[in-house]
Amino acid sequence: MTRSHDTREPPIELGFLLLPRYSMIAFSSAIEPLRMANRLSGQELYRWTTYTVDGDPVEASNGLRLQADAKLGELSGLHTLFICSGVDVEHACDR
């Protein structure tokens, strides 16, 4: 009798850094295909974490506030980090 081996790859780890007044539609348009890919495949192909500079909730350009999973200083082990901003990104940047 042969044993079946789980040949699944670990999920691709993605991060989303949400800057103040980020575009919610752009963020949602990035997350939803990942969520649907996980659902349709029946496995976790993608895993994502949301970050803010300080870990506190951040307000999108539409006024909705989102609680981040972590602060930027806790970032590690990602395949890719997406920086989500809006039209006034120059006001959200600092050292």
Side-chain angles (χ1 to χ4, degrees), residues 16 18 21-34 60-62 82-86:
F16 291 87
L18 306 176
R21 312 277 305 146
Y22 69 95
S23 169
M24 180 65 80
I25 196 165
F27 175 61
S28 297
S29 294
I31 293 287
E32 284 302 303
L34 303 173
S61 60
N62 64 6
F82 296 95
I83 300 173
C84 302
S85 67

Side-chain angles (χ1 to χ4, degrees), residues 43-56:
Q43 58 185 314
E44 188 178 35
L45 301 173
Y46 302 97
R47 183 180 301 152
W48 54 90
T49 304
T50 56
Y51 297 90
T52 59
V53 172
D54 55 11
D56 290 338

Side-chain angles (χ1 to χ4, degrees), residues 63-74:
L64 293 176
R65 294 179 64 78
L66 184 73
Q67 175 62 55
D69 297 312
K71 61 183 172 183
L72 186 57
E74 298 170 345

Side-chain angles (χ1 to χ4, degrees), residues 1-7:
M1 182 168 137
T2 60
R3 295 175 68 189
S4 66
H5 295 283
D6 188 358
T7 58

